[in-house]
């Protein structure tokens, strides 16, 4: 099990995954399988095919990424966890349903 805690502007966030590889020099975790993120204010995201830049609080994925809350898929993803912005590029699809922001 892999767990990381990040201090964001709005409070702490918790990242968890079944497995991953940590590059201590670059401070980047390459996630194996799904990664769950939950912020202090209740915002949640589930993503697959990503790595996390712990120093810059960035989530990056390439070669096909997908996630939930909101539901998305794309060839590439960049998410600024502090700013709560997600950039999808290449075959990007995004679906949000009001009132359905609960994790399965």
């Amino acid at each position: 099990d892999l767990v990381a805690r990040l201090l964001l502007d709005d409070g702490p966030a918790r990242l968890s995954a079944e497995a991953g590889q940590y590059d201590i020099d670059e401070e980047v975790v390459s996630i194996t399988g799904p990664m769950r993120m939950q912020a202090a204010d209740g915002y949640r995201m589930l993503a697959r095919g990503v790595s996390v830049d712990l120093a810059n609080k960035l989530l990056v994925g390439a070669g096909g990424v997908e996630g939930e809350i909101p539901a998305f898929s794309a060839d590439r993803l960049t998410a600024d966890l502090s700013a709560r912005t997600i950039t999808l590029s290449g075959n990007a699809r995004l679906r949000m349903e009001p009132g359905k922001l609960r994790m399965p």
Side-chain angles (χ1 to χ4, degrees):
D1 291 337
L2 175 89
V3 176
R5 297 188 196 282
L6 299 175
L7 184 56
L8 303 177
D9 294 338
D10 296 336
R14 182 178 189 271
L15 303 174
S16 61
E18 291 179 18
Q21 294 180 331
Y22 178 59
D23 181 330
I24 196 165
D25 295 325
E26 298 293 323
E27 291 189 59
V28 172
V29 179
S30 299
I31 305 296
T32 304
M35 184 247 15
R36 295 180 186 273
M37 189 278 289
Q38 181 172 355
D41 64 0
Y43 179 79
R44 298 175 187 198
M45 180 172 55
L46 172 67
R48 292 173 186 82
V50 298
S51 62
V52 182
D53 179 336
L54 297 173
N56 296 306
K57 299 176 180 116
L58 293 174
L59 183 72
V60 178
V65 294
E66 61 184 53
E68 300 173 17
I69 319 296
F72 63 85
S73 65
D75 291 340
R76 181 164 174 77
L77 160 91
T78 304
D80 183 326
L81 299 176
S82 291
R84 304 272 171 75
T85 60
I86 298 174
T87 303
L88 302 173
S89 57
N91 299 308
R93 305 234 186 255
L94 176 69
R95 188 179 84 212
M96 296 182 73
E97 297 179 33
K100 303 247 176 171
L101 295 179
R102 301 208 193 300
M103 290 294 279

